[in-house]
Every structure is written in structure tokens, then in C-alpha cells.
Amino acid sequence: MALTNLSRSVEGYVAFITGAASGMGEATAKLFASEGAKVALVDVNAEGLQRVVSEIEAEGCSVRGWTLDLSDGDAIKQTINAAAAHFGGLDMLVNNAGISIPAPIDGDEYEAAWSKSFDILITAHIRTIRASLPYLRESQNPRIVNIASTEGLGATKGGSPYTAAKTGVIGLTRSLAVELGPEGITVNCICPGPIRTGMTDAIPEENKQVYARRRVALKRYAEPEEVAHGTLNFCLPASSFMTGAHLPVDGGLTIKNA
Ligand code: NAI
């Protein structure tokens, strides 16, 4: 049996990536751009976004950034339409932006943390997906990748809004994979473990090392690029039969008992 000539490249396709000013979003933007994709980047952090856009431009890649607060549904629609108009379509959507708010169940700020977490970690996903669908339906390589977390597979005390939202992202991924499958649109998610990004920056290095030694099979935190490669894999034209999956990129955190 001869192998089919499936493409292992995203070259020429347009990727819309949220939370691209830092961490995994930045690494994903740079990786996709270096693989020849055109990258439409959004973030609420205008300064950080401009830095990433300039760095990608300096490599001679095709990139444009839009400052966007993902809690604003109308702005999401406008930005996705603007990005698709600028690049002549949209093929791949990476829902990556996120926040992590500590929220003990009996804390005064619990309900505020719940609302904010759900706004950014899951409601924004359905809004970007709904706004992107007309473009994905026109694409030769329609791909949606949601960034969930190992917190969607297990739990840490004091963070139930984050855990609930991330668990929801896995459910959303599965449900939309079923609904959009007949149209050839794949929907997958990544569950990163402990990664060195803005989100984990404040954790002291020693605590990171102790945690990694105890809990992670590979005994370390990962660099954001190591997660971006998982996202890229889901977006390849060759990954045509993968949908509804959640991929832990966690150094073995979720399979390690002792
Ligand atoms: P990060 O803090 O470095 O990057 C998150 C980006 O999202 C920032 O640039 C931030 O400005 C942006 N963002 C936040 N709120 C926004 C809003 N309202 N509108 C637009 N952009 C907004 O963090 P990291 O770690 O790179 O986070 C990426 C994703 O990975 C998040 O969904 C996070 O929950 C998830 N994750 C992170 C893990 C880690 O260990 N760092 C582990 C598992 C999941």
C-alpha cells in the first residue's frame, strides 16, 4: 500500500490565535509563523502584542495583531471579520488566552472569580468559534484547537472556577467535534501541565522544582514551545481524522501515581 500524500505543513493557511502576547500563545504564534502560516494575533495586552508582532515581522513572516478584550462579544466578531478580510479567510482557530484566579469556595470574591473565569476561559471560546465558522466552512483545512488544562482532568484546591471552566472546554470540544464533524471541521483540545509562562511566573523557582520532582514523570516544567508543537500537530492537514480529542501535554503528570 502506498502512502497518501497528506500535507504535513500549515504553510499558506491563516491561523487566528488568542492570548498571543505571552506564554503559549506567543510560542504558538511564532511556531505557526515560522512554519509559513499567516498569523492573526489578538490579546488584551496591547504592548506585549506589539512586541510579538514586531518580532515575527522581523523574521519576514506574515502577521498582524489586533488588541482585543475577549470579554467583549461584539469586539470578538468585529476582530475576526477584520482578520479574515485582511488575510482573505481563516483556516485555524486557536483558543488559548486565559486567566487563573485563586478562588476558595467560601471567599467573598468567589462569584466574581467564577464569572470572570467563565467569560474568558469558555464563553470567549464559543464566541470566537461562532464568529469563525463562516470562514472555516470555506477553508481547505478547517481546524479548531482549544487550550484546556490538566485542571480539566483533575483538580487543585481553591481553584474551582478555573477547573470547572477547563473541564467545560473539554466537553465543548467533544460536543462541537460531533456537531461539526460532518462538515470536515476538526475540534480538539490540549491539556497542558506545568508550563513556564506569565501565568506561572510568580511561583518561586524552588516550589516549581519541588512540584515537578514529585508530580511530573519528566521531572520538570515545560517551555511554552513544547505545547505549541502539540497545537501545530492538530492543525496539520495530515491530522485529518483526529477530532474530539484531548491531548495532555504534561510531562506525564496525569498518568503518574507515585
Ligand atoms: P500567560 O499569562 O503567559 O498568557 C495568557 C495571555 O492571555 C496573556 O497574554 C493575556 O494578556 C491574555 N489574556 C488574558 N485575558 C484576556 C482577555 N480578556 N482578552 C484577551 N487576552 C487575554 O499564560 P499561559 O500559561 O501562556 O496561558 C495560555 C493558556 O494555557 C491559558 O488558557 C491557560 O489557562 C492555559 N494553561 C496554562 C498552564 C501553565 O502552566 N502555564 C497550564 C495549563 C493550562
Side-chain angles (χ1 to χ4, degrees), residues 18-26 42-45 67-72 95-100 116 120-121 125 147-151 162 166 190-201 203 221 224 227:
T18 72
S22 169
M24 284 179 251
E26 174 179 350
V42 297
D43 204 291
V44 70
N45 171 0
T67 305
L68 172 66
D69 183 343
L70 287 159
S71 59
D72 182 340
N95 279 314
N96 162 82
I99 49 169
S100 169
K116 179 100 181 126
I120 305 305
L121 295 175
H125 291 29
I147 305 302
S149 171
T150 48
E151 282 296 311
Y162 186 84
K166 292 297 191 182
I190 305 262
C191 296
I195 320 293
R196 291 183 185 282
T197 69
M199 194 172 276
T200 54
D201 215 23
I203 302 171
Y221 266 56
V227 179

Side-chain angles (χ1 to χ4, degrees), residues 83-149:
H86 178 75
F87 286 113
L90 199 162
D91 305 290
M92 304 169 288
L93 169 65
V94 181
N95 279 314
N96 162 82
I99 49 169
S100 169
I101 310 173
I105 187 64
D106 51 4
D108 291 341
E109 303 299 321
Y110 186 82
E111 290 208 14
W114 178 272
S115 302
K116 179 100 181 126
S117 300
F118 270 69
D119 264 5
I120 305 305
L121 295 175
I122 188 161
T123 305
H125 291 29
I126 54 156
R127 288 176 168 160
T128 55
I129 290 168
R130 281 162 55 83
S132 300
L133 272 179
Y135 305 108
L136 297 177
R137 288 188 168 120
E138 296 295 314
S139 168
Q140 297 307 302
N141 186 46
R143 302 276 183 261
I144 298 170
V145 180
N146 298 318
I147 305 302
S149 171

Side-chain angles (χ1 to χ4, degrees), residues 29 35 49 54 102 104 138 143 196 213 242 257:
E35 290 294 309
L49 184 64
S54 302
E138 296 295 314
R143 302 276 183 261
R196 291 183 185 282
R213 271 201 304 274
M242 274 194 253
N257 286 332

Side-chain angles (χ1 to χ4, degrees), residues 16 42 66-68 72-86 127 131 135:
F16 188 94
V42 297
W66 284 266
T67 305
L68 172 66
D72 182 340
D74 290 337
I76 288 177
K77 248 189 253 167
Q78 285 161 14
T79 307
I80 285 183
N81 289 338
H86 178 75
R127 288 176 168 160
Y135 305 108

